[in-house]
Amino acid sequence: MLLLFLSISLLLTYEYDVCTQRLVQASGGSVKEEEIEDIRGYHALLTDLVDYVCSFISIHVAAAYLSSFLTLCFCLYVIINDVPLLQNIVTAMFVVYYSTLNLITLTYLGIRLHEAAHRPLNSLHDLAGRKMPDRVIGLVTLFANKLSQRKIGISALGLMPITKDTVLTIIGTLLTYVFIVIQFKPELTASLRQNGNNTSG
């Protein structure tokens, strides 16, 4: 599944980059209505393709995120709370490494696709300030508005589009989990309870 996601993401990212390059080349000289319309149509076709692909792999992306995240949480719990046997720690560290690598790969590819799909916005904003026919200005504005209002990219069941914000969400959730596990560590809880009993007695 990860290999399929990798292939699709890289291919679509490349095509979005081609679309951006065409827009930059078109904006180099006099901007023609046909060129902008052709680039806008090509970008819309790519976006429809992303939506179509996402409808098939969205459940797999969600399952990969969920399984990697839960595995990572379980292994962190084992590392923090388990008896320090070398075999348990080595196994848990390997699984943490694999799950983290899986999360990083999925997130990186999703972010690259999202960024590539929205990259034409910079060129469109540069074009908006130039002197052009009204019809071309209308097409540029329409294209820019559609791009800025829509989150294009792969998502997990449509609930979580993979963007740069996803990284902060994952890190924040994992840090919160680790702090809670450390706080409720059995030895720490027992010693705090014993200290409380000694103070009251």
Side-chain angles (χ1 to χ4, degrees), residues 22-35:
R22 286 179 59 198
L23 187 60
V24 168
Q25 288 172 355
S27 63
S30 62
V31 182
K32 296 181 180 145
E33 179 184 337
E34 299 82 29
E35 285 179 310

Side-chain angles (χ1 to χ4, degrees), residues 7-32:
S7 307
I8 291 170
S9 178
L10 290 175
L11 178 66
L12 289 170
T13 301
Y14 173 77
E15 290 299 326
Y16 275 122
D17 286 340
V18 167
C19 186
T20 303
Q21 288 301 321
R22 286 179 59 198
L23 187 60
V24 168
Q25 288 172 355
S27 63
S30 62
V31 182
K32 296 181 180 145

Side-chain angles (χ1 to χ4, degrees), residues 36-138:
I36 297 295
E37 185 61 45
D38 185 45
I39 294 168
R40 189 176 73 82
Y42 184 63
H43 193 280
L45 181 69
L46 287 174
T47 302
D48 290 343
L49 185 59
V50 168
D51 289 342
Y52 181 73
V53 167
C54 191
S55 68
F56 287 109
I57 67 170
S58 179
I59 193 163
H60 299 291
V61 171
Y65 263 103
L66 190 61
S67 63
S68 295
F69 192 77
L70 291 177
T71 304
L72 191 58
C73 288
F74 176 74
C75 288
L76 288 172
Y77 180 83
V78 167
I79 290 170
I80 293 169
N81 285 313
D82 203 16
V83 179
L85 291 173
L86 184 61
Q87 183 180 1
N88 288 352
I89 291 176
V90 169
T91 304
M93 292 301 278
F94 174 75
V95 174
V96 164
Y97 170 76
Y98 178 76
S99 296
T100 304
L101 189 64
N102 198 13
L103 282 173
I104 288 171
T105 304
L106 282 171
T107 306
Y108 174 73
L109 292 172
I111 289 171
R112 276 198 58 190
L113 180 61
H114 176 77
E115 295 289 315
H118 289 86
R119 203 167 290 133
L121 265 176
N122 296 331
S123 299
L124 291 170
H125 289 309
D126 291 343
L127 278 174
R130 289 176 52 183
K131 192 168 182 97
M132 298 179 292
D134 289 341
R135 184 131 169 85
V136 175
I137 290 173

